[in-house]
Amino acid sequence: MSRLFDAYIMVDWSAASKPVTGKNSIWIGILAKDARLKLQYQSVNIETRLKARSFLEGIIAKLTGRGDRVLIGFDFSLGYPAGTAEALGLDTSDKAPWQAMHAHLASKMKDKADNSNPRYAIAAGMNYAISKGPFPFWGAPARDVVSTLSDKKPDFDGQALPEYRIVESQLRDSKRGQPKSVWQLAYTGSVGSQSLTGIPHIHGLRQALPASRVWPFEFEDGEMTEESLDGVQVVFAEIYPSLIPAKPEKGETPDAAQIRQIAHYYSEVDEKGRLNGRISTNNSLDEGKISQIQSEEGWILGA
């Protein structure tokens, strides 16, 4: 059985507010064929998001230029809980809620060359639009706490927007990890800031690459097959590296180890013909939930 992809790029994103390398910075792992058509792995550590975006543009052009189909995984949420776009008052008359959200964040979030960004102010503004108070985004450092953004988690009970997406709830219930809520912007294991700063770059890459798609949003039933990938050169997907145990090698940071391991994992699953992107491997999700996932929430590849 042939692979769906020829190369695998995994990205450990960072929401740092200054240039930084090493721990808690951007790591990009590339598993691609060498001159002998053997898969070889290399990783790069990049100090700013703008430089990471430029690097990704370059490596994508190189790989697709030689005919490779590329899977690119990002370790942050690509969607928000169902109802978010509507709560923000975004126009979804001619686009899906996930598209409206991606475009909205891209219009608001602008990285500077020094890696600074206004993510807390943007989160506070979205909170005002949604609730006129400090809900649902939370987790701001003291200097960024305002009336519409708190350092503490708000009460999600009885609210229109849930704390977790369906995929996060399923992983937590099945004990396959403890993924954080996309609303949490700071503190250990948080992913909210990475989504706010990362989604605009995915949006830009998707717009610049007509032969690219964002999984699972742009695939019918979320399934990737040779037929559904016809004409597609690049697929952007959400990953959760903690799904796979990773042991750092000598001198390797935990982030770098996770990216290396998850790249090899997806390659091995693809080689076995099991990287088809199905949203659920059981019957626990009804059509309504599948629709929410497809239109707004997204899913973790392999969950």
Side-chain angles (χ1 to χ4, degrees), residues 9 11 13 26 28 30 44 46 48-66 68 70 72 74 111 198-210 212 233-234 236:
I9 300 175
V11 184
W13 198 247
I26 296 175
I28 300 177
I30 306 104
V44 294
I46 302 177
T48 70
R49 285 176 292 280
L50 288 178
K51 288 183 178 180
R53 165 78 170 272
S54 179
F55 177 84
L56 287 171
E57 290 171 342
I59 194 68
I60 289 170
K62 176 183 177 181
L63 293 172
T64 57
R66 71 184 193 185
D68 286 359
V70 187
I72 306 181
F74 291 86
D111 275 315
I199 285 175
H201 289 287
I202 292 179
H203 178 77
L205 289 168
R206 172 66 183 88
Q207 297 302 304
L209 299 168
S212 67
Q233 293 179 306
V234 179
F236 302 106

Side-chain angles (χ1 to χ4, degrees), residues 2-201:
S2 62
R3 294 172 178 267
L4 294 175
F5 297 95
D6 305 292
Y8 311 82
I9 300 175
M10 301 295 131
V11 184
D12 185 297
W13 198 247
S14 169
S17 296
K18 61 182 180 180
V20 61
T21 56
K23 185 179 179 181
N24 297 323
S25 62
I26 296 175
W27 287 89
I28 300 177
I30 306 104
L31 186 61
K33 295 174 183 176
D34 61 16
R36 296 174 296 172
L37 301 182
K38 298 292 185 180
L39 285 172
Q40 296 293 334
Y41 180 80
Q42 63 173 315
S43 67
V44 294
N45 188 201
I46 302 177
E47 64 266 32
T48 70
R49 285 176 292 280
L50 288 178
K51 288 183 178 180
R53 165 78 170 272
S54 179
F55 177 84
L56 287 171
E57 290 171 342
I59 194 68
I60 289 170
K62 176 183 177 181
L63 293 172
T64 57
R66 71 184 193 185
D68 286 359
R69 182 187 291 150
V70 187
L71 174 67
I72 306 181
F74 291 86
D75 71 333
F76 53 78
S77 307
L78 300 192
Y80 285 80
T84 299
E86 181 180 4
L88 280 169
L90 302 183
D91 182 9
T92 57
S93 60
D94 61 347
K95 58 177 68 73
W98 75 269
Q99 290 174 309
M101 191 66 178
H102 280 211
H104 178 71
L105 291 180
S107 72
K108 297 289 185 181
M109 182 69 68
K110 306 295 182 183
D111 275 315
K112 295 182 179 180
D114 65 358
N115 223 29
S116 62
N117 63 82
R119 66 182 183 275
Y120 293 113
I122 290 171
M126 287 195 288
N127 274 355
Y128 181 81
I130 291 171
S131 69
K132 302 298 188 291
F135 177 89
F137 288 99
W138 66 278
R143 66 179 180 276
D144 292 295
V145 169
V146 292
S147 62
T148 55
L149 186 64
S150 174
D151 58 339
K152 298 178 177 61
K153 184 172 78 169
D155 185 1
F156 281 87
D157 289 342
Q159 296 285 356
L161 294 175
E163 183 175 3
Y164 297 105
R165 296 179 300 157
I166 296 169
V167 67
E168 293 151 356
S169 295
Q170 182 162 304
L171 285 175
R172 295 172 74 89
D173 291 345
S174 65
K175 310 301 182 185
R176 292 190 65 197
Q178 291 292 308
K180 300 291 186 178
S181 167
V182 72
W183 307 124
Q184 183 180 341
L185 302 177
Y187 316 128
T188 302
S190 62
V191 71
S193 285
Q194 284 88 329
S195 290
L196 285 181
T197 60
I199 285 175
H201 289 287

Side-chain angles (χ1 to χ4, degrees), residues 266-282:
Y266 285 126
S267 171
E268 291 165 4
V269 170
D270 193 12
E271 185 178 29
K272 295 174 182 177
R274 294 191 287 111
L275 189 61
N276 58 12
R278 284 179 300 172
I279 287 174
S280 178
T281 56
N282 53 44

